[in-house]
Amino acid sequence: MKVGARSTTGWKATISVAMSNYIEAGSIIAIATSLAFWQDEFGISNFAVGLLAALSANAFGAAIGAAVGGPLCDRFGRKAIYTYDLLAYMAGVLLAAFAVNFTMLLVAFVVTGIAVGAGVPASWTYIAEQAPTHERAKHVGTAQLAWSIGPLIGFALAAALAPLELLGSRIIFLHLFVVAAVVWWIRQGLQESKIWTDEGLRESRELASSVGARGLRGLFSRRVNITALLFLGGIYLFWNTVAGQAGIFMPRVYETAGLHSAVQQNLLQVLVWGCTVAATYFGFMRYADRMSQRLLYVVGAALGIVGWFVLVAFTDGGVTTMLVFAVLWGVSSGIGAQAFYSLWASELFATPYRASAQGVMFFVVRTATGLLSYFFPTLLAATGLPVVGSLLIGLLTVALVIGAIWAPNTRGKTLQEIEVERYGAPVDASGSPAAPVTELPTQARATAPTTA
């Protein structure tokens, strides 16, 4: 009975914290499906639309939040961030729902983005630290699942509320406010991450301040961390630069490809995210703990490249081409880069700077996404889908190559075993290694997988 209770509590914590991904993705889709309405309502230019997208939860706003929230998460604990960032998020989406001018809308998007950026690294870190060793990918996959359900529901709502135009978009933002409020209430009863607590990171305010500094210094002063940052930042940077544009500008891409109905565009996105949900649950969550993670990653990445190639090369195929694209890109997103990034980013760094590392990478990745987002609507209108699509295919190919070559061998190992394997010894609260360990514990040798 006690075992069952612990299991239920663990999944309750996983699901409630994973909801950060639902509201992140939900806010991106709320923006994506409302941009045309805001543009008509406020009479703003394509550059202004790009600015809204670039400063939102899809890009710069989230980048700023991650840069601040990641180190604070290592300093004050995971719970402090994933509890209070939701209050800022609720303020942002509520402001968006009632925006009456461009300035008010811009502020709303920035506030929402910062809150999202602060919460996502904390949620990925917490879930991985609390998950059972041999089900870590399954638990981390729950965050990916929530991230996929957000757009699925968001686009379905957009299609259903399309006749209401801007009012329908305001209702979608209000629904995100309600979801965030419920999640915030549920999270109040959750415990702090046991690994963070056990390693002595909950200290006095003064000592915690120095711990955070040493964590950041350690993050950038050790070669093992730099290589992990380059690897993870590489796969997530190149993949998310594509996914970021698809997430917020896909309706415009469909229109450029010849599909002009807003309802049909949104329904097509419902198919994309329905496939992502299915692939996440039946693919990543079921098999990433059992089979070669490198192979699963490559399959997902390859499907994404094929999907975009089909869309670019066979635009004349009309709806059939778009349906093929939707299925391929949806399945790819379910078992591809973001799911593995959120897993590996929690595994490859020691506890004192695990969230800081994710914050830094999230900042860099979302900044790059923001730079392209600012110009994407104009670039798409000026050059058309073939040029833009070829650029996106090139970025996805780089992400595939990086993951295929450097995917880590961490499946089946505890976070502590991975830490010893990578650093030579456990890393204490100050960010310094303890006494060197020359070989893995017996359990680690027994459970270490032979494939990534």
Side-chain angles (χ1 to χ4, degrees):
M1 184 70 178
K2 288 183 178 180
V3 173
R6 284 197 297 270
S7 176
T8 301
T9 301
W11 275 109
K12 175 185 176 182
T14 293
I15 293 170
S16 63
V17 174
M19 287 302 291
S20 289
N21 295 266
Y22 175 92
I23 61 177
E24 178 212 6
S27 60
I28 292 173
I29 302 313
I31 295 169
T33 56
S34 66
L35 281 176
F37 296 135
W38 296 117
Q39 188 171 19
D40 292 340
E41 178 72 11
F42 299 146
I44 56 180
S45 66
N46 280 337
F47 273 107
V49 170
L51 183 64
L52 285 171
L55 295 178
S56 69
N58 196 49
F60 289 131
I64 295 170
V68 175
L72 289 179
C73 185
D74 283 333
R75 175 179 173 181
F76 295 111
R78 287 60 168 125
K79 184 177 179 179
I81 300 301
Y82 69 62
T83 297
Y84 295 110
D85 77 289
L86 280 182
L87 298 177
Y89 179 89
M90 286 187 281
V93 293
L94 195 63
L95 189 63
F98 294 101
V100 296
N101 55 52
F102 174 77
T103 301
M104 188 174 177
L105 187 65
L106 184 62
V107 171
F109 284 8
V110 171
V111 171
T112 302
I114 291 174
V116 163
V120 170
S123 70
W124 287 345
T125 298
Y126 181 90
I127 291 171
E129 290 179 346
Q130 295 292 89
T133 298
H134 295 285
E135 290 189 337
R136 188 160 53 242
K138 185 176 183 179
H139 279 252
V140 171
T142 305
Q144 173 74 5
L145 190 67
W147 182 80
S148 307
I149 292 174
L152 176 65
I153 293 178
F155 279 112
L157 286 174
L161 298 173
L164 299 179
E165 297 184 340
L166 185 57
L167 176 60
S169 296
R170 294 183 189 275
I171 293 173
I172 294 174
F173 280 105
L174 287 175
H175 123 270
L176 292 172
F177 173 84
V178 173
V179 172
V182 172
V183 173
W184 179 85
W185 179 76
I186 293 174
R187 286 182 180 180
Q188 302 313 297
L190 298 182
Q191 301 298 314
E192 179 58 87
S193 164
K194 189 174 186 299
I195 289 179
W196 187 87
T197 303
D198 288 350
E199 294 196 12
L201 297 183
R202 185 182 298 279
E203 303 177 12
S204 68
R205 186 178 183 87
E206 293 77 17
L207 181 55
S209 177
S210 64
V211 167
R214 286 196 294 271
L216 288 174
R217 284 199 299 269
L219 181 64
F220 290 106
S221 64
R222 295 184 180 187
R223 182 175 180 178
V224 65
N225 289 334
I226 298 299
T227 55
L229 286 170
L230 291 174
F231 163 66
L232 291 166
I235 62 171
Y236 197 45
L237 171 65
F238 291 104
W239 178 85
N240 191 76
T241 302
V242 177
Q245 312 314 313
I248 203 164
F249 292 124
M250 204 64 212
R252 292 176 180 244
V253 173
Y254 290 142
E255 185 170 0
T256 303
L259 186 65
H260 303 294
S261 168
V263 173
Q264 290 179 345
Q265 292 169 3
N266 290 333
L267 289 176
L268 201 57
Q269 285 299 87
V270 170
L271 175 60
V272 170
W273 292 107
C275 291
T276 302
V277 169
T280 300
Y281 184 77
F282 294 105
F284 184 82
M285 292 178 67
R286 291 202 173 188
Y287 293 104
D289 287 310
R290 304 179 186 178
M291 63 175 287
S292 166
Q293 293 180 353
R294 175 182 284 109
L295 175 61
L296 192 59
Y297 174 89
V298 168
V299 170
L303 288 175
I305 293 171
V306 173
W308 279 96
F309 176 79
V310 168
L311 184 63
V312 172
F314 302 100
T315 303
D316 293 339
V319 174
T320 301
T321 294
M322 296 183 197
L323 288 173
V324 173
F325 163 80
V327 172
L328 291 173
W329 180 240
V331 173
S332 169
S333 298
I335 59 176
Q338 178 155 298
F340 279 107
Y341 167 81
S342 59
L343 174 65
W344 292 334
S346 296
E347 293 178 334
L348 299 185
F349 297 96
T351 302
Y353 30 75
R354 182 171 291 128
S356 298
Q358 293 189 48
V360 169
M361 288 185 290
F362 208 75
F363 172 81
V364 172
V365 169
R366 289 305 175 96
T367 297
T369 301
L371 290 173
L372 183 55
S373 294
Y374 187 75
F375 298 104
F376 191 86
T378 304
L379 182 65
L380 183 62
T383 65
L385 185 57
V387 173
V388 172
S390 298
L391 170 64
L392 300 184
I393 290 172
L395 295 173
L396 291 175
T397 301
V398 174
L400 183 153
V401 172
I402 293 174
I405 295 175
W406 289 290
N409 181 15
T410 53
R411 180 168 56 89
K413 302 175 184 178
T414 68
L415 294 179
Q416 292 89 343
E417 289 166 356
I418 296 170
E419 188 172 305
V420 169
E421 192 175 67
R422 290 179 55 76
Y423 294 87
V427 179
D428 64 24
S430 67
S432 302
V437 176
T438 57
E439 63 179 26
L440 288 175
T442 302
Q443 182 184 5
R445 295 195 302 271
T447 60
T450 58
T451 58

